[in-house]
Amino acid sequence: MAFFESTAKGGFYPIETEWLPFIANLFVPFAGDNSPRMLDGSAGEGEALAYLSNAWNLKPYANELDSQRYEACVAKFGQANTLNDDYFKFRVSMNSFAVQLLNPPYDVDNLTGRQQVRLETRFLRGSWYMLAQGGYNVVVVYTNHIDERFAMSLVRMSESVDIYRMPELHLDRYMQIVIVAKARKGSYPSDEEVIQDAAVLVERARLNCEWARGFSDKGSEPDYLWERIDTVSEPRYKIPNAGLSAKFVWKPGTITDDMRIESANRTGAHL
């Protein structure tokens, strides 16, 4: 088994159920009959996608690498809306989703050679083309995952970035955050601007991390702290229904033995 596949199976941390209403409250539910699409590319058993897509009135699409968790997603979303594939291999049209929930495996990717890149960064980098103009990445990571590479992708590819911290530390140790990033399509900032803004973001993440670990006074809440998500009183974001791809491609990039057998039994064709 490839390193990425084994890591994706083992590094799965579903979003705490009691925190989903706080995430849902960030967006105004879509009003209309033709609901835009929402993707969770590492969906686990689909609990978060089911809750949020229902709260926002969106069409859910799930991808999950682990076969057992994939079956749980199929039960919730149906076969047509669920893939069992590597996040970096399944095939999907550009500009396909109004919202993407990104809760990637928390680990280092050793496939990149000498320069190790965290999986959170790889997932973020690979996510942008799937979002429609004005679409949103809703990213759930730890604040210490915001390193230089992660921050540069976020700054370069987003029109706006807001960060919220969960009410409690995850596993009693880590500050888990929700990043709401509005996708930028064109008019990208210069490299100098990206480097400067990314450095500011990384420094603020470092300060938040130190606060969470008790290296600074927890009796006070300094200005640099991310806003607590449970203090947001009303929705702040509106889901777009424009800029979505008219032609929607959604299929696995990895052809498995089971898929070959199914195709042969159904049509006599071999993949």
Side-chain angles (χ1 to χ4, degrees):
M1 178 181 292
F3 171 84
F4 172 72
E5 294 186 0
S6 63
T7 301
K9 289 174 182 284
F12 171 63
Y13 292 100
I15 301 170
E16 301 290 342
T17 303
E18 61 267 31
W19 295 349
L20 291 174
F22 302 135
I23 300 175
N25 184 56
L26 295 174
F27 285 83
V28 177
F30 179 79
D33 297 328
N34 189 22
S35 298
R37 293 179 288 264
M38 175 180 177
L39 170 67
D40 189 342
S42 50
E45 295 183 352
E47 298 292 343
L49 177 61
Y51 186 95
L52 295 174
S53 62
N54 181 67
W56 297 335
N57 190 29
L58 300 176
K59 298 174 185 176
Y61 286 80
N63 178 71
E64 173 53 44
L65 182 61
D66 180 84
S67 58
Q68 291 185 338
R69 297 198 288 259
Y70 160 75
E71 292 297 339
C73 287
V74 171
K76 292 181 178 71
F77 312 118
Q79 191 82 48
N81 288 34
T82 310
L83 297 179
N84 179 205
D85 206 353
D86 186 318
Y87 181 79
F88 303 101
K89 293 181 180 178
F90 71 80
R91 298 176 62 188
V92 64
S93 311
M94 296 178 64
N95 308 318
S96 289
F97 300 100
V99 176
Q100 178 171 195
L101 179 63
L102 204 61
N103 181 29
Y106 296 172
D107 212 327
V108 173
D109 177 14
N110 286 329
L111 295 180
T112 53
R114 298 183 202 171
Q115 292 186 336
Q116 291 187 341
V117 177
R118 292 200 61 88
L119 285 174
E120 300 87 351
T121 299
R122 279 200 70 203
F123 270 75
L124 182 66
R125 287 175 173 174
S127 68
W128 299 109
Y129 79 95
M130 294 183 259
L131 286 169
Q133 183 171 4
Y136 287 92
N137 250 336
V138 180
V139 188
V140 181
V141 292
Y142 292 157
T143 192
N144 53 288
H145 293 155
I146 301 180
D147 59 14
E148 182 181 11
R149 293 186 179 97
F150 186 99
M152 288 181 69
S153 178
L154 198 60
V155 168
R156 186 183 301 278
M157 302 303 294
S158 305
E159 286 185 16
S160 63
V161 177
D162 297 314
I163 301 178
Y164 306 89
R165 59 188 168 101
M166 294 300 196
E168 300 174 1
L169 296 182
H170 190 235
L171 305 178
D172 295 322
R173 183 176 180 182
Y174 301 103
M175 181 186 284
Q176 195 169 41
I177 55 176
V178 177
I179 304 171
V180 180
K182 187 175 184 180
R184 185 197 305 271
K185 300 290 181 177
S187 299
Y188 296 102
S190 67
D191 290 346
E192 183 178 356
E193 290 174 313
V194 169
I195 292 170
Q196 290 177 349
D197 290 347
V200 171
L201 184 58
V202 170
E203 175 61 14
R204 187 172 177 186
R206 183 189 67 79
L207 292 172
N208 273 265
C209 188
E210 289 189 353
W211 183 89
R213 291 176 177 174
F215 296 151
S216 58
D217 182 14
K218 279 196 174 181
S220 63
E221 295 201 353
D223 292 340
Y224 59 72
L225 279 186
W226 315 123
E227 183 178 2
R228 263 180 57 156
I229 196 169
D230 57 333
T231 66
V232 178
S233 59
E234 58 185 26
R236 297 180 174 178
Y237 310 100
K238 186 175 180 180
I239 296 165
N241 194 31
L244 295 169
S245 175
K247 182 179 179 181
F248 181 53
V249 175
W250 167 256
K251 57 185 177 181
T254 304
I255 306 300
T256 65
D257 290 339
D258 288 343
M259 292 167 61
R260 291 188 177 93
I261 293 171
E262 180 183 355
S263 175
N265 289 340
R266 186 176 68 251
T267 66
H270 294 274
L271 299 176

